[in-house]
Every structure is written in C-alpha cells, then in structure tokens.
Amino acid sequence: MNWSDYRAVLFDLDGVVTPTAIVHMRAWNEMFNAFLESWDGEGDTAPYTDADYYAHVDGKPRYDGVRDFLTSRGIPAPQDRVVELGDRKNDAFNAVLERDGVEAYPGSVLLLDHLRDLGLPLAVVSSSVNAPAVLEAAGLSDRFVTVVSGAVATELNLPGKPAPDTFLHAAEVLNAGAAESVVLEDAVSGVRAGAAGHFGAVVGVDRGAGPEALTAAGATLVVSDLADLVPAQEGNA
C-alpha cells in the first residue's frame, strides 16, 4: 500500500487498534443470553452466538445493535427495552475494561508508528461511546487528531455505520477529502460505511468476520494484521 497517495487515515478502534472487540463480544453474549433465558414473550429465544454478533451487532451504534438483533429474532423492540439492554451491555463492558485494562495489537502500534513518521494525520471513528476511555487505557490518546465516538455522533446528529457520515466528518476535521483518505475497519458494517463514502481505500481487517464477507461489503484490501500494511523494512527486519 502506497501511503503517500493519501492525506489522512481513519481507524475503527475495537478490533482494529485494540482487541476490545473481544470484550464487547463477551459483554454482548452475557447480556443477550441472560435476557433470552428470562424472556417468555414472542420470538426465537435460542442462545445468542458469535454469528449473531457478526450479523446484527458488530460495528453498529449500541442501541442499533440491540434493535437489529431483537428484530432478527422476532422479539418486540420498543425503545425502552432497547435502551435498557444497551445500557446493561455498556455497564458490563466498562466493568471488564476497568478490571483488566487493554493493550493495543502490536501490529497496529507498528502501523501507527509508521504513519506518525510519515506525518499523516490520524482519526479514530468508533460507534462506541467508550472510545476515549479505551484509547486512554491503551496509552494511545496522543496518536489521533480527533476521536469521532458514538457520543460525538449523537451530539452532531450523525447516523452511525453502515452510513458513512462519521467517517466523512473525521476526514473533514483532518482537512482531507474522502478520496484522499483510508478507512481501516474490521466490521462488515464499517466496511460498508467506507464503501458508501467512496473513500480512497477501505482496508478490511479480518478479526473474525472473514475475508469474503469484508470483500463483499466493499473492502478494497483485506489483511489479518495491520503490520501487513507497513513496508517490509519497517517491520520484522
């Protein structure tokens, strides 16, 4: 990948820079399965699985993920239920983050170092309201010019992924057009957002969604680790 062709780089956070997607997955699993075990109304109450996460939740704003999953099971999703379940999940995530902390993927730090040396401005674009806390816990807050979190999206009334608006806003903050910017995403919904925004490159990071799904969603390149995007002499030389 020729980084000199671009003026800005936009990172998703969970699953791209930090392995917090695993924490999110665990929190979603515990919350949804507790709900399904107690639910005696209409709909499918079979256990929630990782396949449900990738199909209905991954990369989306939290309440959208709740609503889409419940709808997929034929379970009524009034706003009060959506908010209650979404807040339960967020509490579980924050408890794990506070207890265990988080370290960035080594390959992601390698790419961040390389892009810093090139002088490219960087942004985080995350559906999570917890993005600033995760970056702080990982010691990476100073690497990014701006963080467009779920809270920022709500404040600015920007629709979440798979809409491209949060990525487009981040590129604008970095004084770059979409065609001059790179999106790095591990979620199908995030890759779809990058493709919908007509960004110069949309890199799918395969942390479990699968290269076929990421490519079908619009990834122009799929890698298994961000170290793959660092020139060889910068890596394991």
Side-chain angles (χ1 to χ4, degrees), residues 2 11 19 33 42 49 54 56 58 72 83 116 125 138 156 179 199:
N2 189 354
F11 290 78
N33 278 318
E42 62 181 282
T49 68
Y54 290 119
H56 306 296
D58 189 19
S72 78
V83 170
R116 179 182 58 193
V125 181
L156 298 179
F199 285 86

Side-chain angles (χ1 to χ4, degrees), residues 4-5 17 22 28 33 38 48 51 57 62 69 83 98-99 112 121-122 132 145 148 151 157 182 193 203 236:
S4 63
D5 292 340
V17 177
I22 297 170
W28 282 114
N33 278 318
S38 66
Y48 170 91
V57 175
R62 189 182 343 130
F69 170 71
V83 170
E98 183 176 351
R99 183 187 70 220
L112 290 172
L122 313 179
V145 175
V148 182
N157 199 30
V182 179
V203 179
N236 299 322

Side-chain angles (χ1 to χ4, degrees), residues 97-173:
L97 182 65
E98 183 176 351
R99 183 187 70 220
D100 299 339
V102 65
E103 290 187 14
Y105 291 108
S108 300
V109 174
L110 192 66
L111 178 60
L112 290 172
D113 290 345
H114 179 63
L115 297 177
R116 179 182 58 193
D117 293 343
L118 293 177
L120 280 170
L122 313 179
V124 159
V125 181
S126 172
S127 297
S128 175
V129 299
N130 302 304
V134 171
L135 286 171
E136 183 68 25
L140 295 174
S141 297
D142 62 341
R143 299 296 191 105
F144 301 96
V145 175
T146 189
V147 178
V148 182
S149 67
V152 172
T154 298
E155 179 183 345
L156 298 179
N157 199 30
L158 299 173
K161 305 167 188 178
D165 301 61
T166 50
F167 280 121
L168 292 169
H169 174 72
E172 183 179 356
V173 171

